[in-house]
Amino acid sequence: MTAKLGLLVSGRGSNMRAVLAACAAGRLPAEPALVISNNRDAPALTTAREFDVAAMHLSRTTHPEPEQLDAAICANLQKYAVDWVVLAGYMKKIGPQTLAAYRNRMINIHPSLLPDHGGPGMFGMHVHEAVIAAGDRESGATVHLVSDVYDQGAILRQARIPVLADDTPATLAARVLTAEHTLLVETLADLLTGNLKVPDATG
Ligand code: GRF
């Protein structure tokens, strides 16, 4: 069976693009059904439309109450019969209704080797600055299940890359991002084909 994917994005959408391209090329047994962004100007929304994927803006602007927004996100994912949800650079917390509906079927990608350098405030360049400031010799990316605590759901897969002596946050970010694209597609492929089993606990 071809799984239907819902992707939640906030900005650039390069991880989303990697997933959409893999679906289009038949490298993922999945069909992207819906892209949701909290940012109406997200380049990711334009990319989704390029791939002919339904794309919508849902945010505190369209739904001022958090419960309304959570309900709208959940209702749309269900309307499009989404089986798996991928947070691909989504900068907002998932509400309890959506989380309950997709528990163990919602994954996130984070640009560090969790549990290091995760949690509130750890996004974008802040992560890579923290890795370099800590003197870490290694960084990477993590795909994990989404739980109700930021970056703390069960870890599914990680990609490791060395931190080079002359790395800046920007050079490190670029290499991690390339690794993310492969990691996200491979992890999804393994989840969808049953090669990777979801752990019972979601952390
Ligand atoms: C990625 O580094 C991802 O790990 C993090 O947000 C970034 C999104 O980048 N959660 P992009 O929008 O996929 O290009």
Side-chain angles (χ1 to χ4, degrees):
M1 191 193 101
T2 303
K4 292 201 175 192
L5 302 181
L7 298 107
L8 271 62
V9 292
S10 294
R12 179 177 53 190
S14 69
N15 278 287
M16 179 205 73
R17 179 184 283 278
V19 172
L20 300 190
C23 291
R27 287 185 287 116
L28 263 181
E31 177 194 332
L34 177 64
V35 170
I36 296 174
S37 179
N38 62 302
N39 170 9
R40 77 163 79 241
D41 299 322
L45 285 176
T46 309
T47 306
R49 293 181 182 120
E50 269 170 34
F51 278 83
D52 276 332
V53 179
M56 61 176 67
H57 163 230
L58 294 176
S59 72
R60 292 294 289 274
T61 309
T62 61
H63 297 78
E65 294 302 324
E67 297 77 16
Q68 282 183 329
L69 177 59
D70 184 16
I73 290 172
C74 192
N76 277 289
L77 291 171
Q78 291 179 333
K79 178 175 159 194
Y80 282 83
V82 165
D83 300 302
W84 282 85
V85 177
V86 181
L87 308 189
Y90 186 62
M91 306 303 286
K92 298 287 176 187
K93 200 147 189 229
I94 297 296
Q97 189 179 333
T98 307
L99 195 57
Y102 287 95
R103 191 171 284 281
N104 288 340
R105 286 182 297 132
M106 186 183 303
I107 63 172
N108 179 48
I109 183 152
H110 183 81
S112 76
L113 293 173
L114 290 174
D116 293 344
H117 311 297
M122 275 297 165
F123 61 89
M125 214 46 88
H126 299 303
V127 176
H128 308 293
E129 285 163 0
V131 168
I132 288 176
D136 294 355
R137 308 277 298 272
E138 206 177 34
S139 189
T142 302
V143 175
H144 63 93
L145 287 176
V146 175
S147 74
D148 49 6
V149 186
Y150 265 128
D151 298 331
Q152 282 194 20
I155 291 173
L156 297 174
R157 285 276 163 82
Q158 293 186 308
R160 313 181 86 86
I161 63 160
V163 178
L164 306 178
D166 60 353
D167 259 333
T168 63
T171 59
L172 180 59
R175 289 206 317 289
V176 169
L177 189 64
T178 302
E180 285 185 48
H181 298 159
T182 308
L183 178 71
L184 182 57
V185 170
E186 288 181 351
T187 306
L188 257 177
D190 284 346
L191 281 169
L192 298 176
T193 55
N195 283 340
L196 174 59
K197 299 279 183 231
V198 169
D200 286 338
T202 56

